[in-house]
């Protein structure tokens, strides 16, 4: 397998400094070597650089930066996929999902998204209580939500091409009132922590796939917000919510998705190496690397001996 890595040192989709450091901190913790040890051909495309546009829209903080960054990111994602590589994007805050999913859907229209997060990230500028764009990417990306937005200058390159029927949530436990209303109105596939409790992560993953990819033929995209994990195991993140997925559940989810052979894009977002003491930061970075490895073929059964050296 071939994989391309893009770092997105972007933190203007929320208000806490530090998330922009995550791509380099996660690389420094040995990410590339870990992926290479899985037998992958790994190419690092470096960090996104962009020109912000000078626009503003009511209750959307730093939209000019979000627009500039995600437009460039979408182009880079398209390049990597066209090079025949699966893609790993390291954020940055979750607003970067606008760029990665736009790039994926422009390359392959038949995609399905697993949004693994404590939050639904489904606000518009009218419903958001924070004005933070990292709480809005799913609403920007999906066609059913298009009517709920005003015209957004700087975002013309991004037309919502994805149906909300192709999105499943896993790990929800902090959903705003209007987000809940939208989830119910459109019957969005959503497995919150309650469902993980009730069915177990294994069944939840397979029920989600059955809903969003019933014919087992879609290009799968996981957008993994590290705050989906319990803060005991991933404390260094901007909006932690207690009672989350264990690292074991997160790893199992990624292993099962890898086994479909159709997991072609992974985002890992919201690690903030400025939150907490060194022990918390190390714990969070190592959790992120475990999640990524599982999504790219690491298995807890042990790896196979490469072909040709078995005798
Ligand atoms: C909240 C928090 N729903 C918002 N969202 C977060 O700001 O819209 N998303 N933290 O990751
Ligand atoms: Mn998120
Ligand atoms: Mn979140
Ligand atoms: Mn967040």
């Amino acid at each position: 397998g071939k994989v391309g890595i893009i770092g997105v040192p972007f933190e203007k989709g929320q208000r806490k400094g530090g998330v922009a450091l995550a791509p380099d901190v996660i690389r420094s913790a040995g990410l590339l070597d870990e992926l290479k040890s899985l037998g992958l051909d790994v190419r690092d495309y470096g960090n996104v650089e962009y020109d912000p546009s000078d626009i503003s829209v009511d209750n959307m903080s730093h939209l000019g930066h979000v627009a500039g960054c995600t437009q460039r990111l979408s182009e880079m994602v398209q390049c990597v996929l066209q090079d025949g590589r699966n893609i790993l994007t390291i954020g940055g805050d979750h607003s970067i999902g606008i760029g990665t999913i736009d790039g994926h859907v422009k390359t392959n229209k038949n995609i399905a998204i697993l949004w693994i997060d404590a939050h639904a990230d489904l606000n518009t500028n009218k419903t958001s209580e924070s004005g933070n764009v990292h709480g809005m990417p799913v609403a920007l990306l999906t066609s059913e939500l298009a009517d709920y937005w005003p015209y957004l200058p700087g975002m013309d390159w991004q037309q919502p091409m994805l149906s909300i029927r192709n999105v499943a949530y896993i790990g929800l436990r902090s959903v705003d009132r209007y987000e809940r209303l939208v989830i119910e109105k459109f019957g969005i596939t959503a497995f919150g922590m309650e469902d993980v409790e009730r069915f177990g992560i294994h069944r939840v993953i397979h029920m989600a796939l059955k809903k969003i990819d019933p014919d087992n033929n879609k290009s799968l995209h996981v957008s993994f917000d590290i705050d989906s994990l319990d803060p005991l195991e991933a404390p260094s993140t901007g909006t932690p919510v207690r009672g989350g997925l264990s690292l074991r559940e997160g790893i199992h989810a990624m292993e099962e998705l890898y086994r479909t052979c159709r997991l072609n894009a992974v985002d890992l977002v919201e690690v903030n190496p400025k939150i907490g003491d060194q022990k918390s930061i190390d714990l969070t970075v190592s959790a992120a690397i475990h999640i990524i490895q599982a999504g790219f073929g690491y298995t807890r059964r042990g790896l196979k001996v490469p072909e040709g050296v078995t005798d």
Side-chain angles (χ1 to χ4, degrees):
K2 288 164 67 168
V3 55
I5 299 177
I6 300 177
V8 196
F10 185 79
E11 59 186 29
K12 288 188 157 32
Q14 47 83 65
R15 283 161 214 270
K16 292 183 183 165
V19 205
L21 302 172
D24 289 337
V25 168
I26 292 173
R27 285 187 183 97
S28 305
L31 173 70
L32 269 81
D33 287 338
E34 295 290 355
L35 291 174
K36 285 174 187 161
S37 75
L38 300 174
L40 296 166
D41 167 349
V42 183
R43 176 163 165 201
D44 191 344
Y45 289 72
N47 287 342
V48 173
E49 289 172 26
Y50 69 95
D51 300 312
S53 60
D54 168 24
I55 52 171
S56 75
V57 165
D58 188 43
N59 202 34
M60 288 184 93
S61 295
H62 302 291
L63 178 62
H65 281 268
V66 176
C69 179
T70 54
Q71 179 172 19
R72 179 75 195 106
L73 174 57
S74 168
E75 291 164 2
M76 284 176 77
V77 167
Q78 293 173 63
C79 284
V80 174
L81 291 170
Q82 278 154 16
D83 280 352
R85 291 176 183 274
N86 288 345
I87 181 151
L88 168 63
T89 307
I90 307 181
D93 69 63
H94 220 163
S95 64
I96 71 159
I98 299 162
T100 60
I101 291 171
D102 183 82
H104 192 177
V105 76
K106 278 180 175 148
T107 311
N108 184 343
K109 289 196 172 32
N110 196 27
I111 73 170
I113 314 292
L114 294 113
W115 197 273
I116 305 182
D117 202 324
H119 312 90
D121 298 351
L122 192 52
N123 280 304
T124 67
N125 68 325
K126 293 182 196 98
T127 65
S128 174
E129 291 167 27
S130 67
N132 295 334
V133 181
H134 81 152
M136 309 180 188
V138 179
L140 281 162
L141 285 161
T142 46
S143 47
E144 288 86 347
L145 274 290
D147 293 345
Y148 298 84
W149 288 98
Y151 171 67
L152 298 176
M155 293 297 291
D156 304 275
W157 58 274
Q158 194 268 326
Q159 296 302 323
M161 297 164 74
L162 183 73
S163 167
I164 195 73
R165 291 190 308 277
N166 300 326
V167 178
Y169 289 112
I170 294 170
L172 297 180
R173 57 194 183 277
S174 174
V175 178
D176 299 338
R177 287 166 194 274
Y178 281 101
E179 291 181 313
R180 176 174 171 170
L181 187 74
V182 171
I183 288 170
E184 289 177 354
K185 177 177 163 70
F186 293 102
I188 301 173
T189 303
F191 295 98
M193 286 313 299
E194 228 183 298
D195 302 293
V196 173
E197 200 66 60
R198 184 166 302 165
F199 302 112
I201 190 68
H202 183 85
R203 284 183 62 202
V204 161
I205 283 291
H206 290 281
M207 290 189 289
L209 285 172
K210 201 165 182 178
K211 285 273 190 190
I212 61 175
D213 182 23
D215 301 321
N216 304 308
N217 63 1
K218 291 191 174 148
S219 184
L220 302 178
H221 188 127
V222 169
S223 207
F224 196 103
D225 187 327
I226 201 75
D227 72 29
S228 62
L229 298 182
D230 194 280
L232 289 170
E233 295 194 90
S236 296
T237 189
T239 51
V241 189
R242 297 195 68 185
L245 296 173
S246 64
L247 180 59
R248 281 165 57 182
E249 288 168 326
I251 289 171
H252 185 72
M254 297 305 279
E255 286 181 351
E256 287 299 291
L257 292 165
Y258 174 78
R259 287 194 183 116
T260 64
C261 299
R262 283 176 291 102
L263 179 53
N264 297 327
V266 175
D267 312 328
L268 194 295
V269 301
E270 300 280 1
V271 171
N272 188 333
K274 282 255 194 259
I275 293 180
D277 56 12
Q278 195 58 45
K279 183 171 171 252
S280 302
I281 297 160
D282 292 346
L283 203 60
T284 310
V285 168
S286 121
I289 291 179
H290 277 80
I291 292 296
I292 293 167
Q293 285 177 291
F296 286 90
Y298 182 81
T299 139
R300 291 170 289 181
R301 292 177 189 169
L303 300 172
K304 287 184 177 158
V305 174
E307 274 178 33
V309 292
T310 35
D311 339 297

